[in-house]
Amino acid sequence: MGKGGQSHGEIKDGEENMAAWLLGVNNLKIQPFTLPPLGPNDVRVRMKAVGICGSDVHFLKAMRLADFIVKEPMVLGHECAGIIEEVGSGVSTLVPGDRVALEPGISCWRCNLCIEGRYNLCPEMKFFATPPVHGSLANQVVHPADLCFKLPENVSLEEGAMCEPLSVGVHACRRANIGPETNVLIMGAGPIGLVTMLAARAFGTPRIVIVDVDDHRLSVAKNLGADETVKVSTNVQDIGEEVAQIHKAMIGGVDVSFDCVGFSKTMSTAMRATRAGGKVCLVGMGHTEMTVPLTPAAAS
């Protein structure tokens, strides 16, 4: 188990800690969630805001996401922020009452990937609400102090909980080297598509076209700053026509495409729309396996 908690153990301060337990397909119940002992470098955090991620929905509907399979009851939630209730004896950077956003992934801090700064790839990663590690959709959790980041006064707890999904967009833009000369195509105007769009704009991209099947999502994207939107279908036969629409909306070439959906069609569209020598970055986790046009992409 991760630091989030366990299903047995002593109860803290006489208060019964409750959490949202995933018990089966579409079976979510509020049940007791006992906290582990507070270590010297840990803090106890009272959750105040927890987002519902697409991964939580995948687990709720199918009890799995890619190769992560829920085999026993698990607490959901990983996008979170809260208020420090108690600190361990070795913690000097935080005090009770501090408002914090939580990094949901606990890496080993010792392997080569962690030492290189790529701790997100740590093979021993314990990530909130990723089987078999419990999540943070609870009254309280225990977590390493080093992974709790104090929020500025002008950042709300709800915004603090959104730091985790925002970090996905920031990481994607860093990986793709987004800058002032990079025209960006985003496949998918869901939450991750939108934060990737906002991150790309902050990185200086001059033009963003975003694509989705839903009019409302495209409207939200437009209001948040997309330069153009393109409505597409789920039919793979429409890819050629939709790529032409994307090129018309972009005006110039597509330098970088972010697939924030992760379907065969969205990845195929991104690969066909992106200019020769451009980049396609997979962000969304949709299909477990994809069929994509690698040979035509390599030839261009």
Side-chain angles (χ1 to χ4, degrees):
M1 296 294 180
K3 283 289 185 180
Q6 53 194 28
S7 56
H8 54 83
E10 68 174 292
I11 295 175
K12 289 287 182 181
D13 300 332
E15 175 187 346
E16 189 168 36
N17 193 45
M18 306 298 286
W21 287 82
L22 176 63
L23 304 179
V25 174
N26 293 324
N27 186 1
L28 190 67
K29 291 187 178 181
I30 305 300
Q31 296 186 161
F33 179 45
T34 304
L35 298 177
L38 188 74
N41 298 310
D42 297 335
V43 293
R44 179 162 54 90
V45 186
R46 182 172 296 277
M47 292 290 93
K48 290 296 185 180
V50 182
I52 302 299
C53 180
S55 64
D56 295 312
V57 178
H58 273 285
F59 288 132
L60 177 65
K61 291 185 175 182
M63 296 292 282
R64 70 177 297 161
L65 173 63
D67 292 331
F68 298 106
I69 302 172
V70 181
K71 298 180 180 179
E72 58 185 22
M74 180 183 78
V75 176
L76 291 176
H78 64 266
E79 305 170 353
C80 54
I83 297 175
I84 301 293
E85 291 269 311
E86 183 182 5
V87 302
S89 60
V91 177
S92 59
T93 56
L94 296 168
V95 298
D98 281 345
R99 301 157 60 254
V100 294
L102 282 67
E103 158 61 70
I106 305 175
S107 61
C108 75
W109 303 335
R110 297 182 302 274
C111 70
N112 288 337
L113 288 165
C114 285
I115 292 171
E116 292 170 4
R118 305 185 71 185
Y119 67 92
N120 58 301
L121 300 178
C122 175
E124 297 182 31
M125 174 67 72
K126 296 179 176 64
F127 197 92
F128 276 156
T130 302
V133 181
H134 289 307
S136 58
L137 190 50
N139 296 133
Q140 300 184 50
V141 300
V142 169
H143 206 55
D146 287 346
L147 300 179
C148 296
F149 298 89
K150 192 172 179 179
L151 295 173
E153 288 300 321
N154 64 333
V155 176
S156 70
L157 286 161
E158 290 79 6
E159 290 168 333
M162 292 299 97
C163 287
E164 195 278 338
L166 177 62
S167 72
V168 175
V170 172
H171 182 62
C173 289
R174 285 176 173 173
R175 294 287 291 166
N177 294 319
I178 300 301
E181 298 181 353
T182 314
N183 289 331
V184 169
L185 168 66
I186 297 176
M187 305 299 300
I192 294 301
L194 295 178
V195 296
T196 302
M197 179 189 76
L198 294 172
R201 188 67 83 194
F203 273 68
T205 183
R207 190 162 184 83
I208 300 173
V209 173
I210 192 163
V211 170
D212 204 281
V213 298
D214 185 83
D215 284 319
H216 175 68
R217 288 188 170 193
L218 291 174
S219 175
V220 172
K222 187 70 173 177
N223 290 336
L224 286 175
D227 294 293
E228 292 291 344
T229 62
V230 176
K231 185 177 181 180
V232 295
S233 73
T234 58
N235 190 343
V236 295
Q237 303 300 322
D238 295 333
I239 290 179
E241 180 182 343
E242 290 166 359
V243 168
Q245 294 178 35
I246 290 168
H247 287 164
K248 182 178 180 181
M250 185 63 77
I251 302 175
V254 176
D255 300 306
V256 173
S257 291
F258 293 109
D259 181 0
C260 298
V261 180
F263 289 171
S264 294
K265 181 176 185 282
T266 53
M267 179 54 76
S268 296
T269 302
M271 294 176 75
R272 288 187 58 177
T274 306
R275 67 168 177 81
K279 300 173 185 176
V280 177
C281 182
L282 176 62
V283 181
M285 296 177 66
H287 290 157
T288 302
E289 296 183 359
M290 292 186 197
T291 300
V292 295
L294 286 179
T295 301
S300 65

